[in-house]
Amino acid sequence: MTTPNRRTAAALPTSPVLAPLLLLALAAGLAACKAPVPEDVPGEFTFRGVAVHPAAVNALYRSGEGQLDLAAFKTRYDCLQWEAQPGWWVTEYEEDPMTKRAPFFAYSAWAGPQTGGAETYILSVTFNAGEEADIDTILLLRKSGSWLGLVRAWEEGSACDGGIQSQRMEGDEFFYSRELTPIGLLGLALLDRPFDLNPHEDLEGATESCVAAASYVYSLAQDREDLISVRLYDEPAVDVRGKTDRLRFQSCFNRILNAYLAEKRTVLSPKDVDEFAARFRNECLGPGSGDAAGK
């Protein structure tokens, strides 16, 4: 039996034409093994085919630069669909050992009209970084390639003190509502002299002190926000001994609120809100309460 000559096989010269072909085949094989980067669809708040990470939005909101490169952003936290709020994305952080609270940042996104250039999105945001109650706000963002820019941030609110609800987009208009405390309701009025009222001293201002909800519309095209109406909650206010009497004007406010409910005037136009506030000023703020009235 003849033994194969391995030295002869190893010594065969390589063809000068074959070597480049082998390199091209190897490169093609590597390219075939590498998955293509998904392209983002305009109107979908994604980066490389997946939802923009809530931690990235959080970093943008907290930064003072107003822009963030999604391609360079890194985080060890997961991007999850929020079971508590379908359609929302959330990042959960480690529990604070002192407060026993688990910080989080969550958002839901609505696309503005697509023009073929930079994409515009409105985000409703809820987060908790150790606060007693969750914080709500709204963000207006622009996305161009991997760059995310913060155009505008709305005032933060929490529970009855400006908590956000009933968000929706229709065309280029974004609708939403904010819950109101008594001070929040009076603060919407356009009077010649604004009120200067203190929560927990003059009127209720706690997170459970909801008396109404204000409905707003924001136009992306005009960059303008308007108050549509205020809906008074149907439950009459009740004076509680030892609580209501500790607040200078709460009992009087309750009387006016209950009068509106009795008359079934529960949906107030902006002008009606002005009238409600003027009635509060006339009936509840006496001559010695000029400071509270902002005079």
Side-chain angles (χ1 to χ4, degrees), residues 42-65:
E44 296 183 6
F45 192 57
T46 60
F47 179 62
R48 293 176 178 170
V50 297
V52 173
H53 205 295
V57 179
N58 188 16
L60 175 65
Y61 181 54
R62 303 291 183 186
S63 75
E65 298 178 0

Side-chain angles (χ1 to χ4, degrees), residues 165-184:
Q165 57 188 7
S166 304
Q167 309 95 318
R168 74 181 192 277
M169 179 77 83
E170 294 183 8
D172 69 346
E173 293 183 326
F174 181 72
F175 296 83
Y176 71 97
S177 298
R178 282 188 185 268
E179 293 204 286
L180 302 173
T181 62
I183 290 180

Side-chain angles (χ1 to χ4, degrees), residues 110 122 124 137-138 152 154-155 162-169 173-179 213-219 225-229:
W110 289 265
I122 286 188
S124 185
T137 189
I138 298 169
R152 175 177 174 179
W154 273 246
E155 181 179 358
I164 295 171
Q165 57 188 7
S166 304
Q167 309 95 318
R168 74 181 192 277
M169 179 77 83
E173 293 183 326
F174 181 72
F175 296 83
Y176 71 97
S177 298
R178 282 188 185 268
E179 293 204 286
S215 296
Y216 295 91
V217 57
Y218 171 72
S219 168
E225 181 170 276
D226 292 298
L227 173 66
I228 300 172
S229 63

Side-chain angles (χ1 to χ4, degrees), residues 10-251:
L12 288 173
T14 303
S15 168
V17 178
L18 184 59
L21 292 177
L22 290 173
L23 291 175
L24 288 173
L26 179 60
L30 291 174
C33 294
K34 193 174 183 180
V37 177
E39 293 186 4
D40 294 319
V41 178
E44 296 183 6
F45 192 57
T46 60
F47 179 62
R48 293 176 178 170
V50 297
V52 173
H53 205 295
V57 179
N58 188 16
L60 175 65
Y61 181 54
R62 303 291 183 186
S63 75
E65 298 178 0
Q67 59 181 0
L68 182 139
D69 185 3
L70 294 171
F73 178 78
K74 305 293 182 185
T75 181
R76 61 189 177 88
Y77 298 103
D78 293 330
C79 172
L80 306 170
Q81 294 191 42
W82 201 5
E83 293 184 3
Q85 298 234 51
W88 287 60
W89 296 93
V90 63
T91 288
E92 298 173 342
Y93 303 94
E94 291 97 345
E95 181 180 285
D96 187 323
M98 299 296 293
T99 64
K100 301 300 181 183
R101 296 191 184 95
F104 71 91
F105 190 95
Y107 75 82
S108 183
W110 289 265
Q114 301 302 308
T115 60
E119 302 167 38
T120 303
Y121 295 91
I122 286 188
L123 271 61
S124 185
V125 166
T126 299
F127 64 88
N128 191 302
E131 295 86 1
E132 299 244 344
D134 297 344
I135 306 296
D136 299 335
T137 189
I138 298 169
L139 307 179
L140 177 62
L141 306 182
R142 282 206 177 94
K143 180 175 175 288
S144 180
S146 67
W147 285 94
L148 204 58
L150 177 59
V151 179
R152 175 177 174 179
W154 273 246
E155 181 179 358
E156 294 180 353
S158 179
C160 292
D161 189 13
I164 295 171
Q165 57 188 7
S166 304
Q167 309 95 318
R168 74 181 192 277
M169 179 77 83
E170 294 183 8
D172 69 346
E173 293 183 326
F174 181 72
F175 296 83
Y176 71 97
S177 298
R178 282 188 185 268
E179 293 204 286
L180 302 173
T181 62
I183 290 180
L185 171 57
L186 295 171
L188 295 178
L190 298 178
L191 302 182
D192 53 352
R193 292 184 295 274
F195 295 104
D196 184 16
L197 300 166
N198 297 316
H200 315 302
E201 294 180 10
D202 297 327
L203 288 168
E204 292 179 0
T207 55
E208 68 275 8
S209 303
C210 294
V211 295
S215 296
Y216 295 91
V217 57
Y218 171 72
S219 168
L220 278 79
Q222 301 178 26
D223 188 24
R224 170 177 168 171
E225 181 170 276
D226 292 298
L227 173 66
I228 300 172
S229 63
V230 170
R231 180 173 63 86
L232 303 178
Y233 291 153
D234 296 332
E235 186 174 353
V238 178
D239 289 356
V240 179
R241 187 174 182 179
K243 177 184 176 183
T244 308
D245 50 15
R246 293 180 181 176
L247 304 170
R248 289 195 290 173
F249 309 118
Q250 188 63 51
S251 183

